[in-house]
Amino acid sequence: RIPGNDLDQTFNGIMRFDSTGQTIRLIGMAGFGLKLFDLTVRPETLETHFLHPGLGRVHDMPERIAFCVRRIWLGPPPSYRNGVERHGETTLLHDKHEGVLLEHAFSGQTLTATRARGPRESWTISYTDRAAHDREPRTIVFTDGRGRYELHIRLVDEGATQQ
């Protein structure tokens, strides 16, 4: 789901990672299977295979989606090069990547949020809605720090959809 001033679009989709973990193919569909977009996202490039004309009116929609996907799945792994803080049950790892200050919040061994602040980027990723004893989130929310948009991702286990 992408809520925003110029669009509040909910869609279903398929996401496929390549075996190296450096390429993600995304296909987004409306309620009855109408294809909205088909994108290939790599760390440095975006290939738009298809973009529904209705989404074309939303400024930089493929780039916004690719930016979020890169930060969630293709970014650098959490690091503590710039320090570690502990606040009760929460551990914060501080890092800097390409001029952007990153803060990774952990509860135990589980990543719960990543925040970025810099001259070109400001965003937060929240990893929520975990099943008991499950380290993988069911919901990921990417929030643009400048208030332009949010991307809500609800992950569904492939095995659960085949029952």
Side-chain angles (χ1 to χ4, degrees), residues 84-140:
V84 176
E85 290 179 54
R86 296 198 194 284
H87 300 280
E89 298 293 315
T90 301
T91 302
L92 302 175
L93 303 183
H94 298 281
D95 195 10
K96 190 172 189 177
H97 182 72
E98 297 180 358
V100 177
L101 297 173
L102 299 171
E103 179 182 85
H104 304 282
F106 284 84
S107 176
Q109 299 284 322
T110 304
L111 179 64
T112 58
T114 298
R115 289 176 273 292
R117 302 288 176 261
R120 298 179 326 254
E121 297 182 24
S122 176
W123 46 264
T124 301
I125 303 169
S126 301
Y127 305 92
T128 62
D129 190 27
R130 286 180 171 80
H133 309 300
D134 193 356
R135 292 187 57 204
E136 297 301 320
R138 287 193 249 174
T139 303
I140 300 172

Side-chain angles (χ1 to χ4, degrees), residues 1-3 7-14 26-32 34-37 39 55 61 65 69 150-154:
R1 178 171 177 253
I2 305 176
L7 176 72
D8 188 343
Q9 179 66 52
T10 299
F11 54 87
N12 294 315
I14 299 168
L26 299 164
I27 299 173
M29 298 169 283
F32 290 106
L34 173 69
K35 185 160 66 168
L36 299 174
F37 59 83
L39 309 172
L55 288 181
M61 177 60 76
I65 294 170
V69 166
E150 287 185 338
L151 178 65
H152 296 248
I153 302 169
R154 187 174 59 85

